[in-house]
Amino acid sequence: MSKGVEPARGALGRRRFVGALAAAAVTAPAGCGTQDTQDRPEAGTTSTPARATSPSPSAKPRPTGPRPLFLGTYTSAEGGGTGIGLATYDVTTGRITGRGTLTGIGDPSYLAAHPDGRTLYAVNEREDGGVTAVRLSTSGRHKVLGTRPTGGAAPTHLSVHPGGRWLLSANYGSGSVAVHPIEASGALGGRTDLVTHSSPPPGPGQEGPHAHQFITSPDGGHVLAVDLGTDTVYTYRLDESAGTLRPVSQGRTHPGAGPRHLTFHPGGRFAYLANELDNTVTVCAYDPATGRLTPGDPQSTGTGGGTSYPAQLLVTPKGSYAYLANRGHNSLSRYAVEADGARLRLLDTVPVRGDFPRHIAFSPDGNLLFAANQKSSTVSVFHVDGKSGELRPAGEPFASPVAVCALPL
């Protein structure tokens, strides 16, 4: 969102956040069910971490026992947290139990896991942006491996390339995207590339580019950056030897849309774009051969008139339903996905049971949906009906200071 449009948050009034999670779903190793029963252990400790499994949540049996949940926050915001929140959740009931805080990380507003499940990455959403690596320990004591500068301001999103060798991050404040190498230990090396979105010119009401998301296409052949300030999705090829980016194409939305978050359909031929500024969603065609993304016509979010600041879309593992978080409306829009991903049909909106849902995420099995509600400092959990796509509340929301990200493993 452009500066001055959305209420200020934390140290930077123009901070943004987009919800995408790690490139692969992860589950915990055997023995994860024997958790420490204390809710508040020593800071810097948590439950047993995860290890990699199949990227498809539907490919594995439903896990049992408590599962790890990591929570992002703003440490510089009034009432914010002191680091990455640590918790577990029950896969059957959805109940969340607090397990402490991993301190020593500033403004970790967005989190992503390495495909092997052994390392967690966080942005440091500050004027001098950074990305931090955390080694997850089976002993329950995690280690901060260090922070690398992103070369830009207010990074709001990061993702791990499926090969596990490169970290991609988006700097909202400076409108640039960065690449960092991932070492064998999970630590980050020095930045290998930084690209600023210099064209097209900023959209209506924007003072410059605002990169909001940086992800890899399902086919793995391209990486795509969503820029709210220029109303454009940029496609690049990543040189997996050098860690450098080569521009391929630009997918432009209508002026003033303010694209924020892109989510692919499992089929890989279509993607869905949440437009923050004009309160719409867009179905986009995607060509894996060329990397070209072609946005279609804008569609309703079902939230009525005015701007409701759409934040993020999720698509169920089988590609049958999609959900959109509406921050201003405090709701989740539910869509039926039709024509093999080519159409979205609005079904209804559901109250999120919190204020300002900044980020939503599925559990690895797809049976639970988590919503991080920034202004109410809560995390809501819903059961997801696999047949109808209906959402049913799973108990009372969990209190978490300035919750802006929920990463269930």
Side-chain angles (χ1 to χ4, degrees), residues 139-337:
S139 68
R141 291 191 174 273
H142 306 325
K143 180 181 180 181
V144 177
L145 299 178
T147 299
R148 292 285 186 173
T150 60
T156 58
H157 182 267
L158 79 175
S159 64
V160 181
H161 190 264
R165 296 180 52 210
W166 304 101
L167 184 75
L168 312 174
S169 58
N171 295 306
Y172 175 85
S174 50
S176 59
V177 291
V179 182
H180 288 80
I182 297 175
E183 299 173 357
S185 66
L188 298 171
R191 191 177 62 250
T192 54
D193 208 352
L194 179 70
V195 177
T196 299
H197 299 152
S198 56
S199 66
Q206 301 294 311
E207 75 279 11
H210 294 305
H212 215 309
Q213 183 192 31
F214 200 16
I215 59 172
T216 304
S217 61
D219 57 276
H222 300 89
V223 292
L224 296 92
V226 180
D227 196 296
L228 183 150
T230 62
D231 296 320
T232 301
V233 179
Y234 299 82
T235 299
Y236 300 93
R237 278 200 178 274
L238 172 68
D239 185 320
E240 296 188 45
S241 297
T244 54
L245 299 169
R246 179 174 63 84
V248 172
S249 65
Q250 297 180 3
R252 300 186 183 182
T253 66
H254 56 282
R260 175 185 176 96
H261 186 276
L262 184 75
T263 302
F264 277 91
H265 183 271
R269 306 289 302 199
F270 298 95
Y272 313 112
L273 196 58
N275 298 315
E276 176 177 325
L277 298 184
D278 73 350
N279 195 31
T280 65
V281 296
T282 302
V283 177
C284 306
Y286 174 72
D287 183 352
T290 64
R292 182 172 294 279
L293 189 82
T294 305
D297 295 328
Q299 298 180 218
S300 171
T301 62
T303 57
T307 300
S308 194
Y309 312 131
Q312 181 188 2
L313 280 154
L314 288 181
V315 182
T316 54
K318 294 182 179 180
S320 300
Y321 297 95
Y323 305 91
L324 172 70
N326 302 297
R327 289 171 293 170
H329 195 249
N330 289 330
S331 67
L332 301 172
S333 300
R334 180 173 63 113
Y335 295 87
V337 180

Side-chain angles (χ1 to χ4, degrees), residues 316 323 362 366-369 382-386 389-392:
T316 54
Y323 305 91
F362 288 128
N367 292 319
L368 296 172
L369 183 150
F382 295 86
H383 294 285
V384 182
D385 188 293
E390 292 183 353
L391 299 177
R392 179 170 55 86

